[in-house]
Amino acid sequence: RLMREIGVNVVRIGEFAWTLMERKPGVYDFDWLEEAVTVLGREGIRTILGTPTAAPPKWLMDRHPGIYPVDRFGRKRGFGHRNYFTVNCPDLLSYVDDLVAAMAERFKNEPSILAWQIDNELGGSGAIRSYGEYDRSAFIEWLKLRYRSIDEVNEAWGTVFSNQVYGSFDEIIVPSYGAIDIHNPGLELDFRRFCSDAAIRFIHRQAEIIRRIIPQAVITTNLVSDFFDIDYFTMVSRLDVVSLGAYPNCNPVEENRAPDTAFYHRIAFGLKNRRYWMLEHQSGTPGSTVLKPSPRRGDIRRWTLQSVAYGADLILYFRWRTCRFGVEQYWHGILPHSGEANSRLDEVKETIELLRGLTSAYGDPPLAEASEAGGNKSVGLIISYENAWVFQIQPHFEGHSYRENLRRYHRALWDLHVDVTIISPNADFSGFRLIIAPNLAVIDGAWAGRLEEYVRDGGALFCDFRTGSRDRFNRMLAEPAPGPLSEVLGLKVRDYGIIEPSEHIPLTGRVRGTRDDRLTAIGWYECVEPCGSVPILEYADGAAKGGPALTRNLYGAGAGWYLSTTLDRNDLVQVLSHVCRESGITPPRHSTPREVEVISREYGDELLWFVINHAKSKREFLFRDATGGERVISLKGGEAIVLPDGPVES
């Protein structure tokens, strides 16, 4: 009744209910589930039905203990919570196949089922990388498909060092805990590739079973925001819709919540370059044993409008009623433990009414491929899962991570209110004014050729340290970095090293908009030899003193930029502001404070602007409509509004 009263029209159920569906091996009970789907459907509420494979039954684990994953220390993980399995165990896969087929057969004619969700947050517990015998056997078979002989493996990995040479495929190990707790980088990278492929196969095999029985089924899976252990580009390639969850208040740094949540939305959109679904959207206070910061009044509206603005076509709040038992008792939903109506329910109702009002006034938002915020493709930010794994294996210096480096670039662009599209290295680069490719250490010839063509045809490419330093086997190249991109970037890296954590090296030079030219290099430096490129910033001290830290190289009709160090967020803002201007990326139409997001989205034939103040206090800025009319917008702290692009009333 409450769902109907506030306008809920979709729910998600079933994703952890394996034992209730199969109480004994091969004995299925879907009556209770069908009753729930029927009752909801009668009230006009459609269902997203989850395959419950994220939490196998205890009877199954007791019957086949080999299903449990093994950590890198050789310890078998035990029963409890979720994801306590390895996807490489044939016994698990047999039961999964039978269960999913039985579910699909039972519900194939149910009209109120909107879509199917495969598993839930696969890999979120870290069990994707399992090191047991099933995993080693599957890894060996994976290697046999990619290498013609064991000699080829030895050559690729360089196992001659430290006498790690293998005499046959059967001798190959998984990179678990060893005498010295590091392994051959080639072995490590291939193992990560294998683990990602295994997880993807686990999702795809379920999707194939459902499609065989229900050809028209809409299929998705619930992703974990910016998770980098699985190649999400490949995973979603055979699914119909990208779906994820977002809990802004889980971020411990309040000023990063808005840009980082925006980053999750950018990833979700970029994975298929299409609109997406939010299967878990924060409603109440998140937390398990310890509570995260509580959302303030208005936050449900604020975060929901951000989600819709970036391209979410469906919002499912997690959860409806806060669970009274289990490990998520403190992961608060819309309703409290008592199930009684509260202020969160009122806010959800108000938000639903707002969104329904937009559709009523302007028409439905397009569900297919859509333009990015601002109506153009300004900046493409490349995500390479292989390079994420390279930097997991060897972070290069303390505190560095590929994921955090990506976030740093995104935060800086968010501060500048510059449109960003997340893209894969295999994406179509045409149409972007600027492509940023952080930490692109491993780059194959095809990528390099396409990037070279992109720059030659007038694009701007921005790379940073360690670009083009390794081959696909994770071996160092026999030529100076940036290897295949040396001509495009116009330089060679002659040496490199770390900058002590207590040391900040001043940079000299000039980038437009820099505050008093006070920029500092942190973490990493490189001794760069320009080969046609022009220094923009130079190291004022340290081992690279006098050498370039930021260069620009004119190549064909475009330009290649190279940053040989790392910068903090504010310094990176200054550099990217300069690079964007030089790349022809014009300032946004609206002169907004950093904490105010202004995002556009099409509704019917109209362009609407979602204006969100993420600051706690009031912010004012100048809003310009499509006709050139101006108006000062004043938003209270946490306030979010929607404006048409046409003339607005004063």
Side-chain angles (χ1 to χ4, degrees):
R1 177 181 55 81
L2 282 177
M3 287 181 183
R4 185 181 67 242
E5 287 176 0
I6 70 169
V8 169
N9 58 6
V10 181
V11 300
R12 178 181 68 131
I13 57 177
E15 70 270 21
F16 295 123
W18 190 333
T19 301
L20 296 182
M21 299 182 194
E22 188 179 7
R23 296 183 183 275
K24 296 179 180 179
V27 180
Y28 301 112
D29 177 10
F30 299 119
D31 290 348
W32 63 274
L33 186 58
E34 185 173 17
E35 180 184 4
V37 170
T38 300
V39 169
L40 290 162
R42 199 159 44 222
E43 298 296 332
I45 300 171
R46 303 190 71 184
T47 296
I48 295 176
L49 191 57
T51 65
T53 53
K58 184 61 164 58
W59 59 256
L60 177 57
M61 306 307 294
D62 290 345
R63 175 176 284 204
H64 300 285
I67 295 174
Y68 284 113
V70 177
D71 71 15
R72 56 188 300 274
F73 298 102
R75 301 172 303 198
K76 183 176 288 188
R77 295 194 180 193
F79 184 83
H81 196 32
R82 66 179 76 163
N83 293 135
Y84 40 82
F85 58 86
T86 169
V87 296
N88 297 307
C89 179
D91 295 318
L92 171 69
L93 299 179
S94 175
Y95 281 93
V96 166
D97 290 351
D98 291 345
L99 172 65
V100 173
M103 287 183 70
E105 286 288 354
R106 180 63 176 263
F107 293 97
K108 64 183 179 183
N109 297 317
E110 177 51 62
S112 64
I113 291 181
L114 174 67
W116 290 75
Q117 175 191 309
I118 307 297
D119 204 82
N120 187 74
E121 296 182 342
L122 182 64
S125 67
I128 278 302
R129 291 182 191 151
S130 178
Y131 300 82
E133 276 306 307
Y134 283 124
D135 309 296
R136 192 178 80 89
S137 296
F139 180 43
I140 289 171
E141 294 306 311
W142 183 91
L143 290 170
K144 287 178 179 178
L145 293 174
R146 283 155 183 81
Y147 295 94
R148 290 171 293 183
S149 67
I150 193 63
D151 291 338
E152 195 173 280
V153 175
N154 286 317
E155 173 65 23
W157 294 353
T159 56
V160 66
F161 184 80
S162 291
N163 195 32
Q164 304 297 297
V165 177
Y166 297 102
S168 69
F169 279 103
D170 291 338
E171 292 181 4
I172 288 176
I173 65 167
V174 291
S176 54
Y177 187 73
I180 299 177
D181 196 22
I182 53 176
H183 282 281
N184 181 292
L187 163 64
E188 286 274 21
L189 181 56
D190 268 345
F191 185 70
R192 281 164 167 76
R193 287 169 172 148
F194 154 73
C195 291
S196 174
D197 285 354
I200 291 166
R201 284 197 305 273
F202 183 72
I203 296 296
H204 287 179
R205 73 185 289 147
Q206 294 189 48
E208 288 166 5
I209 292 169
I210 294 171
R211 284 204 178 98
R212 187 178 68 244
I213 299 169
I214 317 173
Q216 73 279 12
V218 175
I219 301 176
T220 188
T221 188
N222 190 27
L223 305 180
V224 186
S225 301
D226 59 343
F227 185 63
F228 280 84
D229 288 357
I230 301 172
D231 181 346
Y232 276 168
F233 286 115
T234 303
M235 175 174 278
V236 304
S237 65
R238 290 162 64 182
L239 303 180
D240 298 299
V241 184
V242 173
S243 301
L244 80 160
Y247 297 95
N249 284 45
C250 286
N251 194 320
V253 181
E254 186 170 8
E255 72 167 327
N256 289 338
R257 287 174 193 158
D260 287 356
T261 306
F263 183 46
Y264 304 153
H265 291 301
R266 299 284 194 190
I267 292 173
F269 183 97
L271 288 174
K272 288 179 81 74
N273 196 34
R274 286 169 111 48
R275 303 302 191 187
Y276 54 94
W277 290 353
M278 296 292 295
L279 291 187
E280 293 187 23
H281 198 290
Q282 177 179 295
S283 54
T285 304
S288 296
T289 57
V290 176
L291 271 62
K292 307 295 183 182
S294 296
R296 298 185 292 271
R297 173 69 177 170
D299 276 359
I300 291 178
R301 174 190 174 107
R302 175 163 66 107
W303 295 123
T304 301
L305 287 185
Q306 186 193 44
S307 300
V308 173
Y310 277 108
D313 280 326
L314 179 145
I315 304 288
L316 292 182
Y317 296 105
F318 191 86
R319 49 188 289 145
W320 172 246
R321 177 176 175 175
T322 308
C323 199
R324 294 174 46 240
F325 38 76
V327 297
E328 293 186 356
Q329 290 170 309
Y330 286 129
W331 208 280
H332 294 79
I334 298 171
L335 299 178
H337 294 107
S338 66
E340 297 176 352
N342 59 7
S343 61
R344 289 197 297 275
L345 186 74
D346 295 337
E347 191 173 344
V348 169
K349 181 179 181 180
E350 293 165 6
T351 304
I352 291 173
E353 289 172 351
L354 168 63
L355 294 175
R356 291 241 169 105
L358 294 178
T359 298
S360 175
Y362 300 104
D364 288 318
L367 300 181
E369 198 169 300
S371 61
E372 262 299 292
N376 60 60
K377 293 176 9 177
S378 295
V379 178
L381 180 61
I382 288 180
I383 285 182
S384 165
Y385 288 96
E386 289 209 336
N387 280 288
W389 302 332
V390 166
F391 282 86
Q392 286 176 358
I393 297 163
Q394 294 169 310
H396 287 59
F397 60 93
E398 291 293 335
H400 180 71
S401 78
Y402 179 90
R403 177 169 58 183
E404 189 57 33
N405 198 33
L406 277 175
R407 281 176 167 172
R408 188 183 295 113
Y409 280 102
H410 181 268
R411 288 168 189 158
L413 293 165
W414 189 86
D415 289 348
L416 292 167
H417 303 286
V418 171
D419 302 334
V420 187
T421 303
I422 299 297
I423 58 176
S424 83
N426 299 312
D428 178 7
F429 300 145
S430 63
F432 288 101
R433 293 183 178 273
L434 171 66
I435 288 178
I436 299 176
N439 289 158
L440 207 61
V442 173
I443 176 169
D444 65 22
W447 293 359
R450 293 173 56 250
L451 287 170
E452 180 182 7
E453 181 182 3
Y454 162 77
V455 176
R456 189 173 59 245
D457 291 346
L461 173 65
F462 187 98
C463 297
D464 63 7
F465 66 97
R466 305 316 288 141
T467 294
S469 59
R470 297 166 179 266
D471 66 16
R472 65 188 181 91
F473 303 111
N474 214 7
R475 303 176 301 196
M476 306 305 297
L477 291 180
E479 59 183 298
L485 290 178
S486 291
E487 285 192 27
V488 175
L489 299 173
L491 58 90
K492 292 182 179 179
V493 177
R494 295 303 187 186
D495 201 2
Y496 53 83
I498 66 166
I499 299 173
E500 298 273 8
S502 60
E503 185 181 10
H504 287 199
I505 296 177
L507 300 177
T508 61
R510 180 73 180 168
V511 294
R512 279 196 294 166
T514 304
R515 56 189 196 289
D516 301 326
D517 291 339
R518 290 197 298 268
L519 298 166
T520 56
I522 55 176
W524 186 268
Y525 73 85
E526 290 179 342
C527 298
V528 171
E529 176 189 332
C531 302
S533 62
V534 176
I536 306 297
L537 295 172
E538 297 176 336
Y539 296 97
D541 204 350
K545 182 177 180 179
L550 176 67
T551 61
R552 183 189 186 211
N553 183 55
L554 298 180
Y555 185 84
W561 297 80
Y562 188 76
L563 179 66
S564 65
T565 184
T566 55
L567 305 171
D568 70 17
R569 177 174 176 174
N570 291 326
D571 286 356
L572 191 57
V573 166
Q574 307 304 317
V575 167
L576 291 184
S577 176
H578 175 80
V579 173
C580 285
R581 285 192 181 94
E582 291 292 312
S583 304
I585 297 172
T586 57
R589 183 201 300 177
H590 314 292
S591 54
T592 57
R594 188 177 81 168
E595 306 93 340
V596 175
E597 257 186 321
V598 181
I599 320 151
S600 67
R601 181 168 182 184
E602 295 174 3
Y603 264 71
D605 296 328
E606 299 290 332
L607 191 68
L608 301 183
W609 291 92
F610 291 71
V611 186
I612 308 167
N613 179 16
H614 294 289
K616 290 182 179 179
S617 55
K618 183 175 76 172
R619 292 291 186 272
E620 292 185 348
F621 72 98
L622 199 62
F623 179 86
R624 295 183 179 90
D625 64 41
T627 66
E630 296 183 349
R631 169 187 171 185
V632 174
I633 300 293
S634 179
L635 295 179
K636 295 179 291 186
E639 187 177 3
I641 61 173
V642 183
L643 296 173
D645 197 37
V648 294
E649 296 179 1
S650 59

